[in-house]
Amino acid sequence: MAVAFVSARDPRISPFLAPRTPPGTVLAEGAWAHRHLLDVGANIETFLFCPELLGGPGSQLAQAASRHARSAYPVSARTFARVSRRTRGSGLASLVRLPVWRAGHGVIGGRAVHDGTVVLIADGIEYATNLGALIRVVDASGAQALLLTNRQARIEHPDVFTASRGTVLTTPLIDFGEPRTAAAWLVREGFVVRLALPGASRDFRDRPRGDRPTAFVVGSEGRGVSAQWRSVPHEAVSIPMYGRADSLNVAVAAGVLLFG
Amino acid sequence: MAVAFVSARDPRISPFLAPRTPPGTVLAEGAWAHRHLLDVGANIETFLFCPELLGGPGSQLAQAASRHARSAYPVSARTFARVSRRTRGSGLASLVRLPVWRAGHGVIGGRAVHDGTVVLIADGIEYATNLGALIRVVDASGAQALLLTNRQARIEHPDVFTASRGTVLTTPLIDFGEPRTAAAWLVREGFVVRLALPGASRDFRDRPRGDRPTAFVVGSEGRGVSAQWRSVPHEAVSIPMYGRADSLNVAVAAGVLLFG
C-alpha cells in the first residue's frame, strides 16, 4: 500500500521543525518515550511516524499511538530526519501537551496539603537536564510538587522530558516566577521553609519531620539560593561537604535532602 | 610589547586541537578552572593564554598559571577559538595530567582501608557528565574512592572535569575494568558489597554502618548493575521509589546512598 507522506512544508509538521516547540508542548521521541506516553495517557497533540524506520514492535507502537493521538501523520525518512533531535531516528515523534498544575488554598497539584506534605523549590535553575533530573527526584521521593522561581531553563526543552524519564507529564510542576509569590503561598499554607545553604550550621538530617508541611529550597547551579529567598523566614540547612567541592549538583542535593 | 603568538599549526598546540586530548590528560578552560588548578597544585602540562581575551584579573591568573605550568604559550584569539570548546572564549586553557591512583593491600588511593571506609563503584557508566557528577558526590560525601567497572565514558572528557567541579584531580579514581577484578580486591580487603538494585526488599537506610568497609555499587544509566556484579556475593539494597519513575539518575542515587 502506498502511504501518502505529509511533507516537511506542511503546516501540520512545522511545530516540530521550529527551534522551539509551541509554549506548553514538549517533543518526545523514540520507543521508550512512546510506551511511556501511552502508559500515562499523555495528551499527544500530533504524532509523526516514519514507516521506513519502524520495525515490527515499532509499527505496533505507532498504531497504538496513532489511535491515542489527536492527529497522526506518516512522514518520509527525510522529513523525520529534520524533525528528530537524535542521530539515530526511531521513526516515532510526538508533540505532547504538558499538564497545567495549580497551587490553591489547602491544595497543590490536585492533592491536599497536610502536615506530612513535602515540596521542593528550585530557584534560578539554568539547565534543562538539571530541571528534568529534579522532576525525577520529586517523583521518586514521593514529594508532592516541584515549585520553580527565577526559572531560566525552558520547561518545554526536550531534555526536560528525557532527563525526567517522562515524569514531567505526571509530576505537579508550578512556576511561581518571583520568590515572594511562592513564599506568600507557603506562609499562608503553614509551610516551614528550609533553605539549602552551604555552611549553614544545621545538618539537613538534624530536624523534625511530619509536624508541618515542609518546603526545601535549592538554588541555581551557579549562584545558589537567591537573596530573595534568604529574606523569607526560613531555617538554613546544609549538606555537610567532606571534600574539596563546595557544593553538589543541584539534583543530587535535592535527592539527598528529599530522601534524607 | 609585541607578543610572539604560537600558531595553531605548531606541534605544541596540536594536542589541544585533536578531537580527544592525549590519554591521561584533560582540557580545563576558564577562570574558575584555572583558580582551581592553582589551588590544588594540578600538573599542568601546557597552558595557553590569549592576551586579547584577558581582562585584568584574567591576566594575573595567566601570570600565575604560566609560572606553575610546565610550559605556557600565548595564542591569538583566532587560535584560542579553535582550542576552546566554549562559545565564549575565556582566554585560559590548560592541558592537565590526571593523577594515577592505585588499590593495593590494605590501601586505596593512598589511604588505609579501615572499618569505616566507604567506596562507590560505578558500573558501565556511559555519560561523561554523570561520571563527573559521581566524582563530585564521592568527594563531597567523604567516601574514599570511586571505582569503575565496564566503563564506557571517557575519564579524559572535558565534561568530566566540569561536572566534577575539578574534583577529578583530587578524588581517588580507579578503573578496574572487569567487575571480577574489583570484586577480588574487595573480598580480599573484607568489604561488604551493597548493590543498588531496584525492587530489592532491603531499604538502603536499613543497615549497619562502620563495622566493615563498605562498597556501594550503582549501575549504568540504561541497564543498571551488570549480571557480573550480581554474581558477586552481595547485599541488595534499594532506594524506595514512590512515584512513576523506575529509577533515579545515577549520580542522584549515589548521593542518596552515600549521604543516607
Side-chain angles (χ1 to χ4, degrees), chain B residues 101-103 107-111 113 117-122 134-135 137-139 141-148 170-174 176 185-186 191 214-216 258:
Chain B
W101 304 94
R102 298 189 196 288
V107 67
I108 185 160
R111 286 160 66 195
V113 174
T117 296
V118 174
V119 299
L120 179 70
I121 298 167
L134 286 165
I135 294 168
V137 164
V138 166
D139 167 86
S141 71
Q144 200 143 329
L146 176 61
L147 316 186
L148 302 174
T170 49
T171 305
L173 180 65
I174 296 165
F176 270 96
W185 182 82
L186 292 168
F191 275 79
T214 301
F216 288 104
L258 293 176

Side-chain angles (χ1 to χ4, degrees), chain A residues 136 139-140 205 242 244-245 247, chain B residues 136 139-140 242 244-245 247:
Chain A
R136 187 173 174 191
D139 167 87
R205 289 164 288 204
Y242 298 103
R244 286 189 166 271
S247 65
Chain B
R136 188 173 171 190
D139 167 86
Y242 297 103
R244 284 189 167 272
S247 65

Side-chain angles (χ1 to χ4, degrees), chain B residues 8 14 40 223 253:
Chain B
S14 59
V40 302
R223 279 163 297 185

Side-chain angles (χ1 to χ4, degrees), chain A residues 38 44 47-49 59-73:
Chain A
L38 294 172
I44 304 178
F47 169 59
L48 302 184
F49 60 100
S59 294
Q60 289 192 333
L61 202 49
Q63 283 176 30
S66 296
R67 284 191 298 270
H68 181 76
R70 199 175 299 175
S71 46
Y73 308 110

